[in-house]
Amino acid sequence: MNIFKKIYCRIYQGIFKAMIGILPYRVPRLLQTDAELAQVLASADKRRALIVTDKSVHELGLCDGVKARLDEAAIAYEVYDGTVPNPTTDNVAEAVGVYRDRQCDCVIAVGGGSAMDCAKGVGACIARPNKTLSQMKGLLKVRKRLPLLIAIPTTAGTGSETTVAAVITDSETRHKYAINDFSLIPDYALLDSTLTLGLPPRVTAATGMDALTHAVEAYIGRSTTRETRANALNAAKIIFARLPQVYRDGTDAAARGDMLYASFLAGAAFTKSYVGYVHAIAHALGGKYNVAHGLANAVILPYVLKSYGKSAYARLNSMGAYAKLYDPDLPAQEGARLLIERVESMNRDMGIPEHLDCIAEADIPALAATAEKEANPLYPVPKLFTARQLEAIIRQVAGLD
């Protein structure tokens, strides 16, 4: 990367870091039961909710508790369950149509990150009826209050219940982009471990590694605060300890609850301190090949961490020591190596592949260009990469080098 672009990126990131303390970040209020959720809606005089979910979550009955409580409170609801992994502009448009046709006045997202991103997209379109989703992509293009939004995660991974972002895929071009605005932070988040007890091991693994990626990228970046560092460290410590447990025994409600809380902490960390090239590459792959986001992050993470080299040694070492993965007196390079090895061994033990075979070699330059455009100058990464350097990483992810 030429010196002028590098200076521009670091100045841009420095301005955002300086503004963290004055920007209107907020943390969603936590709810413990779906009865509390109904109480919140009743006290806000809400009459009809739009429940945004996907077919598998709906068919598994994970929305049933919410629907029962709404029935008891005499609050009507409509269900949109057409959300797909990597939600599309068509998904959002369909859900917005239901919201308007049925005169809904609030939104409840039930599911993983896709459902929550779709729900946020719905809220943005209701708040800004004269703007398209693509016109709201990037930073602070919504700037209007959304309808009351409650997020209920059924996976412990995305952290979307805490974040400013909605990631949407254009149905026609397959371009994947983020809408980032403080108004997209949900008003409430319901963390109910019973909703995650039936998750298949492969989903548990991918979403858990997604949460770990959030914690790691938020912690090693250059825009951290005391609060985000603490959240990221605590999230990583819980995930290293609990994810192998819930992968082996998905019925452990206490461990599932810990993972939900870790995901929440990691989301709170990265929504302020941002992510890095792992996410930029994962978004490019998700848009092109519809790769599940958590799976992509899990596979990409060790390759990017190794590529950062010494620029990330100190932070990776301190994270691993905090998580009690090794002796805290180890040299930074050795500790960083051991943390990356732990990531790789967790992936292997949970059946996550070492490479993503879907990547076509001919697509790599365009994928790298997309990732570079997303990351630079926004993401305050430990080390800046060019598109050519990202090509090399993607080749490793594809198993081509």
Side-chain angles (χ1 to χ4, degrees), residues 14 25 63 97 102 111 138 156 162-163 202 216 249 253 290 298 305 318 383:
Y25 288 102
C63 300
R102 301 300 295 163
T162 71
T163 70
R202 60 179 179 81
V216 172
D249 179 10
N290 210 31
L305 295 183
S318 62
K383 179 181 179 181

Side-chain angles (χ1 to χ4, degrees), residues 213-214 217-218 221 270 273-277 279-280 283 374 379-381:
T213 303
H214 296 154
E217 291 208 292
F270 89 80
S273 292
Y274 294 102
V275 286
Y277 290 119
H279 272 75
H283 289 156
E374 174 182 326
Y379 295 161
V381 290

Side-chain angles (χ1 to χ4, degrees), residues 319-398:
M319 174 170 273
Y322 186 86
K324 300 187 183 304
L325 302 184
Y326 43 73
D327 189 320
D329 295 327
L330 284 178
Q333 182 175 355
E334 179 67 6
R337 181 185 66 80
L338 290 174
L339 182 142
I340 295 170
E341 287 183 357
R342 178 62 67 90
V343 171
E344 292 174 323
S345 68
M346 287 173 66
N347 278 346
R348 283 194 302 271
D349 293 345
M350 295 188 298
I352 291 171
E354 186 177 357
H355 304 291
L356 293 173
D357 297 334
C358 62
I359 301 173
E361 188 168 10
D363 292 337
I364 291 177
L367 293 168
T370 298
E372 194 274 338
K373 184 177 180 180
E374 174 182 326
N376 301 329
L378 180 60
Y379 295 161
V381 290
K383 179 181 179 181
L384 293 165
F385 292 149
T386 63
R388 182 62 62 86
Q389 289 169 307
L390 292 173
E391 283 186 41
I393 295 172
I394 297 171
R395 290 184 65 84
Q396 292 175 333
V397 172

